[in-house]
Amino acid sequence: MNKILYIIFLLSCLNSFSQDTLTYDEVAEEKIIFTEKDIKIDSSTIETRSFEENFKDNYQDSEYIYEQAVKESNWWDRFKKWLADFFKNLFNLSSDTVSGKVVDILIKSLAVILIVFVIYLIVKSIMNGEGQWIFGKSSDKKVIHYEDIEKNIHLVDFEKLIKETLKSGEQRLSIRYYYLWLLKKMSDKNMIEWDIEKTNSDYLYELKEPIFKSDFEYVSYLYNYIWYGEFELDESTFEKAKSAFEKIIKSI
């Protein structure tokens, strides 16, 4: 009896579940239909705007440049970088900035020293060995260093030079000064045209007076014999040459 009641209860439950289940076709789909009345039209006024002419010029400052161009390093930059690294490692400097400042100070100091040295050479070149200016108050002629005498015979006091060489016993050098003094005198009198590249023969060819030409040929021979000769100059030969040069120089 109980089994029959249990079966009847089960069948009644299945029947009620089947009645509550709906098929897809039984569900009505809801549709929304829009009409022209539902469309809203925007009637507000639109203001036309445009960019100003050359507006880009206002944005050329560095604050508007977001990508900075990297400067290419040249040999000088690489050398300074190498020098900065060298000092950094040598003195255990704290950073690249400190070593870079050290290099900048060093380079500027060397530049100043170089400029001072060049100025010193320039000043020295226009002053004589005694520290006096070339243009003295007592003379309008330049003081020439001895090594430049041959290039500047018109600016040299040969009488003074010869006296100094005779005091110091430099007889061969005094004969050379006699010869250059003679060329200076001849050039001043327009008897020859002075040129450091000319030879004795060139000057001899320019002379016109036969007697003077003969005397010049003789002292030129003495000069070549004494100055270029590789032998000991005796007192007799020196006095003979000295007298011959003094005679021809006085005759001009």
Side-chain angles (χ1 to χ4, degrees), residues 15-66:
N15 184 39
S16 62
F17 177 77
S18 62
Q19 289 179 356
D20 292 335
T21 302
L22 297 176
T23 62
Y24 176 77
D25 294 335
E26 291 176 345
V27 179
E29 184 178 4
E30 184 180 1
K31 295 182 179 180
I32 301 175
I33 301 175
F34 291 95
T35 63
E36 187 176 351
K37 294 179 181 180
D38 297 320
I39 301 175
K40 293 183 179 182
I41 300 175
D42 186 1
S43 60
S44 59
T45 305
I46 300 175
E47 181 182 357
T48 304
R49 303 183 65 181
S50 60
F51 292 105
E52 296 180 359
E53 186 177 358
N54 299 326
F55 76 95
K56 293 183 179 180
D57 296 339
N58 299 325
Y59 303 94
Q60 300 298 321
D61 296 338
S62 59
E63 59 186 23
Y64 296 105
I65 301 176
Y66 303 106

Side-chain angles (χ1 to χ4, degrees), residues 176-193:
R176 178 173 176 80
Y177 287 159
Y178 270 119
Y179 175 74
L180 293 176
W181 188 13
L182 174 60
L183 295 180
K184 173 186 175 181
K185 298 273 287 185
M186 292 165 59
S187 176
D188 292 341
K189 293 296 183 177
N190 296 320
M191 299 172 67
I192 60 169
E193 185 176 346

Side-chain angles (χ1 to χ4, degrees), residues 130 143-146 149 156-175 177-178 181 238 242:
E130 299 176 353
V143 177
I144 306 299
H145 294 288
Y146 291 164
I149 288 176
V156 178
D157 185 352
F158 283 104
E159 288 187 83
K160 180 179 179 181
L161 289 180
I162 291 171
K163 288 179 181 180
E164 291 176 354
T165 54
L166 291 177
K167 288 181 180 179
S168 60
E170 299 175 276
Q171 295 178 332
R172 293 179 68 253
L173 183 59
S174 64
I175 294 299
Y177 287 159
Y178 270 119
W181 188 13
F238 171 73
K242 177 175 174 292

Side-chain angles (χ1 to χ4, degrees), residues 6 27 41 57 108 111 121 126 132 145 147 158 178 203:
Y6 178 75
V27 179
I41 300 175
D57 296 339
K108 290 179 181 178
L121 292 180
I126 59 177
Q132 301 294 328
H145 294 288
E147 60 268 20
F158 283 104
Y178 270 119
Y203 293 129

Side-chain angles (χ1 to χ4, degrees), residues 175-176 179 200 219-228 245:
I175 294 299
R176 178 173 176 80
Y179 175 74
N200 296 341
V219 294
S220 296
Y221 162 76
L222 293 175
Y223 167 71
N224 290 333
Y225 178 79
I226 295 173
W227 180 248
Y228 296 107
F245 273 107

Side-chain angles (χ1 to χ4, degrees), residues 106-164:
L106 178 63
I107 292 176
K108 290 179 181 178
S109 300
L110 291 176
V112 171
I113 294 173
L114 179 61
I115 292 173
V116 172
F117 180 70
V118 171
I119 294 175
Y120 165 76
L121 292 180
I122 294 174
V123 173
K124 184 179 179 181
S125 67
I126 59 177
M127 296 177 68
N128 61 20
E130 299 176 353
Q132 301 294 328
W133 291 102
I134 287 177
F135 299 96
K137 293 182 179 179
S138 61
S139 176
D140 59 351
K141 295 183 179 181
K142 295 182 180 180
V143 177
I144 306 299
H145 294 288
Y146 291 164
E147 60 268 20
D148 297 326
I149 288 176
E150 188 173 356
K151 299 178 182 179
N152 303 275
I153 62 172
H154 295 286
L155 305 175
V156 178
D157 185 352
F158 283 104
E159 288 187 83
K160 180 179 179 181
L161 289 180
I162 291 171
K163 288 179 181 180
E164 291 176 354

Side-chain angles (χ1 to χ4, degrees), residues 79-129:
F79 171 73
K80 290 174 62 178
K81 179 64 170 58
W82 172 83
L83 201 59
D85 293 339
F86 174 77
F87 282 111
K88 181 181 178 182
N89 297 328
L90 182 63
F91 299 106
N92 294 323
L93 300 178
S94 57
S95 65
D96 292 339
T97 303
V98 174
S99 60
K101 289 182 179 179
V102 171
V103 171
D104 289 337
I105 293 174
L106 178 63
I107 292 176
K108 290 179 181 178
S109 300
L110 291 176
V112 171
I113 294 173
L114 179 61
I115 292 173
V116 172
F117 180 70
V118 171
I119 294 175
Y120 165 76
L121 292 180
I122 294 174
V123 173
K124 184 179 179 181
S125 67
I126 59 177
M127 296 177 68
N128 61 20

